[in-house]
């Protein structure tokens, strides 16, 4: 293997391209394999980036129509959806081109086509057109990400029954949209189309939204979304979708059994989660072991059951988040270079980019109770924050959970404007094992929204100043 690459990464989503860049920085001869014409994976092409563009644009559209007048700005916004979609695409193109530039800058060879591991150390790349070629590598990292989870018996055509991919490309605003699944993707994209004029009904199998999130936050989040006009049917499931007529006919039943009802709509968004994408990689033939959910099993160093083959991101255990994949990409590259690559899974933030945003890091109250941990709670509402008051963004609160014995912060949950940025200081604090007292005694600029984080830390010791 004299001419072999030190590392070949299959997939150039956030995990894959970051892994390749870090490997190249560490002196490895590196190549990537990507089935799409553009780099960036689901996240940059049909996920995080385009959805945030539409969330931003739709938020401004709604504010112009409903919020500007209260600030003395009189406008009557008119929606040009084609232009809004072009705005979204411009952002996508800029980001994917940026990744291509970074790969070239770091002298990483890029092969376009479907990658398959035909033997340890050998990756076959089959392009859309032309012959397949085999490249050799001392190490292979699988970073192929995830795919849309299908609803049994319901076909996604990306026109009337859409996944997140189709929901980002709609050419007109549906009069009514049914969102199947009250997780992050469903609520984000549902909120986009509600702001632009859709009547949105969210159907969720469980009796709550955002499973896994702190229940207190989820309850308040649902109340805010309902106040904005989003409707919910919890504890229900969609059993069929008929698309023959002018409108979709959706059959909805109680999760635990009961009478079915039929609801008509224009578009159905199936957002029940994502599944690891391992199709066509040749893993079974090689003896790479998967778990019962189709995820690749790895050890603490991201090594699979076959020597020389590693895996990161959505194809392995853990939250399906781009930044988690990025950190794993860096870690595995450093491990392969003989360094101590590591990811702290206890401090991976998660954000829902609705308005207001929802962000969390660390443990929920439910998790701490389940683990039998004695904890204190500090909570501070944005109604008592000066900047939130003047900006009229008073929905939500900051909630801090700290160990009752040591005061170490175990979890932070924020629902409010700009929560996604505010959670970063909590993550930094927790990464260094900080206490609520550390946060409470850190001077925060005034007037800012993060002052609510400081006040929540003060509230852990029952000494909030502005409440």
């Amino acid at each position: 293997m004299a001419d072999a690459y030190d590392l070949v990464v299959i997939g150039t989503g956030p995990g894959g391209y970051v892994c390749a860049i870090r490997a190249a920085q560490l002196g490895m001869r590196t190549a990537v394999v990507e089935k799409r014409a553009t780099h960036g994976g689901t996240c940059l092409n049909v996920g995080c980036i385009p959805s945030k563009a539409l969330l931003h644009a739709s938020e401004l559209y709604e504010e112009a129509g409903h919020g500007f007048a209260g600030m003395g700005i009189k406008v009557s916004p008119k929606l040009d959806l084609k232009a809004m979609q072009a705005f979204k695409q411009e952002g996508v193109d800029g980001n994917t081109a940026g990744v291509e530039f970074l790969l070239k800058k770091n002298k990483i060879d890029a092969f376009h086509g479907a990658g398959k591991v035909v033997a340890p150390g050998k990756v076959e790349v089959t392009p859309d057109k032309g012959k397949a070629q085999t490249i050799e590598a001392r190490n292979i990292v699988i970073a192929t990400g995830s795919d849309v989870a299908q609803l049994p018996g319901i076909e996604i055509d990306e026109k009337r029954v859409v996944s997140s991919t189709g929901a980002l490309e709609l050419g007109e605003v549906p009069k009514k949209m049914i969102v199947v699944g009250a997780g992050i993707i469903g609520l984000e994209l549902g909120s986009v189309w509600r702001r632009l004029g859709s009547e949105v009904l969210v159907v969720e199998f469980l009796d709550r939204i955002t499973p896994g999130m702190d229940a207190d936050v989820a309850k308040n989040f649902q109340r805010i979304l309902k106040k904005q006009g989003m409707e919910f049917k919890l504890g229900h499931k969609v059993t069929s979708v008929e698309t023959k007529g002018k409108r979709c006919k959706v059959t909805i039943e109680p999760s635990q059994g009961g009478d079915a009802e039929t609801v008509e709509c224009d578009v159905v968004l199936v957002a029940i989660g994502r599944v690891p994408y391992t199709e066509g990689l040749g893993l079974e033939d090689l003896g790479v072991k998967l778990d019962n959910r189709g995820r690749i099993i790895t050890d603490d160093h991201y090594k699979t059951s076959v020597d020389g083959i590693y895996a990161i991101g959505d194809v392995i255990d853990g939250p399906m988040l781009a930044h988690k994949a990025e950190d794993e990409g860096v870690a595995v590259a450093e491990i392969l270079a003989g360094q101590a690559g590591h990811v702290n899974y206890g401090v991976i933030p998660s954000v829902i980019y609705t308005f207001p945003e929802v962000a969390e890091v660390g443990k929920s109250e439910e998790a701490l109770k389940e683990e039998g941990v004695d904890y204190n709670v500090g909570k501070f509402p944005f109604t008592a924050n000066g900047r939130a008051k003047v900006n009229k963004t008073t929905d939500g609160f900051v909630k801090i959970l700290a160990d009752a014995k040591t005061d170490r912060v175990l979890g932070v949950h924020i629902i409010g404007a700009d929560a996604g940025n505010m959670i970063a200081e909590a993550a930094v604090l927790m990464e260094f094992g900080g206490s609520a007292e550390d946060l409470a005694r850190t001077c925060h600029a005034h007037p800012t929204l993060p002052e609510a984080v400081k006040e929540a830390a003060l509230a852990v010791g029952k000494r909030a100043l502005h409440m």
Side-chain angles (χ1 to χ4, degrees):
M1 295 176 72
D3 294 329
Y5 288 98
D6 296 309
L7 176 65
V8 168
V9 182
I10 304 176
T12 58
Y17 82 74
V18 166
C19 177
I21 290 171
R22 184 66 186 123
Q25 288 176 343
L26 292 165
M28 293 185 222
R29 183 171 175 245
T30 306
V32 293
V33 178
E34 174 54 56
K35 67 178 180 180
R36 280 189 172 91
T38 53
H39 297 293
T42 294
C43 180
L44 270 66
N45 287 277
V46 292
C48 324
I49 295 300
S51 65
K52 299 313 159 282
L54 289 184
L55 281 157
H56 176 62
S58 64
E59 191 181 311
L60 292 177
Y61 173 76
E62 184 171 61
E63 190 172 4
H66 299 95
F68 278 14
M71 293 183 274
I73 306 167
K74 294 187 177 180
V75 294
S76 297
K78 184 180 177 184
L79 178 64
D80 183 342
L81 185 57
K82 190 175 179 181
M84 189 178 284
Q85 291 284 20
F87 160 78
K88 175 206 72 181
Q89 194 57 44
E90 185 181 351
V92 170
D93 293 345
N95 276 280
T96 55
V99 174
E100 186 177 5
F101 166 77
L102 288 171
L103 293 174
K104 286 178 180 175
K105 178 191 170 191
N106 286 280
K107 298 181 173 57
I108 297 163
D109 292 336
F111 296 85
H112 284 277
K116 181 179 180 180
V117 187
V118 290
K122 291 187 178 182
V123 178
E124 183 182 77
V125 183
T126 306
D128 288 340
K129 295 177 182 177
K131 291 182 179 179
Q133 61 177 315
T134 301
I135 52 179
E136 294 191 346
R138 291 178 180 84
N139 294 290
I140 297 163
V141 170
I142 297 165
T144 45
S146 58
D147 201 0
V148 173
Q150 301 285 331
L151 201 55
I154 294 171
E155 187 183 344
I156 294 173
D157 60 18
E158 299 296 16
K159 291 182 174 64
R160 300 174 76 187
V161 181
V162 300
S163 68
S164 53
T165 303
L168 291 165
E169 297 292 338
L170 296 178
E172 60 181 359
V173 179
K175 287 178 182 172
K176 181 162 185 171
M177 171 183 275
I178 289 180
V179 178
V180 188
I184 294 175
I185 294 169
L187 296 179
E188 285 188 352
L189 292 175
S191 70
V192 165
W193 295 105
R194 183 205 59 74
R195 290 172 195 159
L196 298 180
S198 287
E199 182 187 333
V200 176
L201 171 66
V202 180
V203 181
E204 169 57 46
F205 185 84
L206 300 175
D207 60 0
R208 54 163 292 175
I209 70 169
T210 55
M213 179 185 286
D214 187 274
D216 180 23
V217 176
K219 184 180 176 183
N220 279 271
F221 184 32
Q222 185 186 344
R223 181 183 56 77
I224 291 167
L225 292 175
K226 196 167 183 182
K227 190 171 73 174
Q228 292 174 354
M230 198 176 280
E231 291 298 323
F232 294 89
K233 195 173 273 292
L234 304 179
H236 282 73
K237 59 184 178 180
V238 170
T239 55
S240 69
V241 178
E242 190 184 305
T243 57
K244 288 176 184 174
K246 286 186 176 180
R247 304 190 86 198
C248 300
K249 290 183 179 175
V250 182
T251 303
I252 301 170
E253 296 177 10
S255 304
Q256 304 305 318
D259 294 337
E261 62 177 307
T262 301
V263 181
E264 292 191 352
C265 67
D266 304 286
V267 171
V268 178
L269 165 58
V270 178
I272 59 169
R274 298 184 66 82
V275 292
Y277 188 86
T278 56
E279 187 183 337
L281 289 171
L283 302 183
E284 289 179 13
D285 295 339
L286 291 164
V288 174
K289 291 179 181 174
L290 307 180
D291 68 13
N292 59 0
R293 293 172 63 181
R295 298 174 300 194
I296 299 171
I297 298 171
T298 62
D299 65 12
D300 291 343
H301 288 172
Y302 309 100
K303 183 177 171 293
T304 70
S305 53
V306 176
D307 287 346
I309 302 176
Y310 299 78
I312 60 168
D314 287 4
V315 291
I316 70 170
D317 189 17
M320 289 182 168
L321 297 169
H323 43 285
K324 175 256 197 189
E326 286 189 27
D327 278 12
E328 288 174 342
V330 170
V332 75
E334 291 176 349
I335 288 165
L336 291 172
Q339 298 184 6
H342 174 70
V343 177
N344 181 359
Y345 290 99
V347 188
I348 294 180
S350 177
V351 183
I352 305 178
Y353 296 92
T354 47
F355 188 87
E357 292 179 348
V358 183
E360 59 181 4
V361 64
K363 304 282 179 132
S364 65
E365 275 203 71
E366 292 70 43
L368 293 176
K369 284 174 184 172
E370 199 174 306
E371 293 169 17
V373 177
D374 194 13
Y375 63 93
N376 292 322
V377 182
K379 202 169 172 182
F380 191 82
F382 282 106
T383 50
N385 173 272
R387 183 67 182 273
K389 277 183 182 176
V390 77
N391 286 1
K392 296 192 181 298
T393 56
T394 53
D395 277 334
F397 55 83
V398 179
K399 177 178 177 179
I400 294 177
L401 308 171
D403 190 291
K405 295 183 185 72
T406 65
D407 195 42
R408 182 171 179 165
V409 174
L410 304 174
V412 178
H413 305 268
I414 307 174
I415 177 166
D418 211 29
N421 285 325
M422 279 188 277
I423 204 68
E425 80 165 302
V428 171
L429 178 93
M430 290 172 65
E431 191 64 51
F432 286 91
S435 66
E437 183 74 9
D438 291 329
L439 196 49
R441 291 196 177 275
T442 299
C443 190
H444 285 62
H446 175 79
T448 61
L449 297 176
E451 285 179 285
V453 178
K454 174 177 178 169
E455 290 277 3
L458 286 165
V460 170
K462 296 182 169 52
R463 62 183 208 271
L465 297 167
H466 291 89
M467 186 170 60

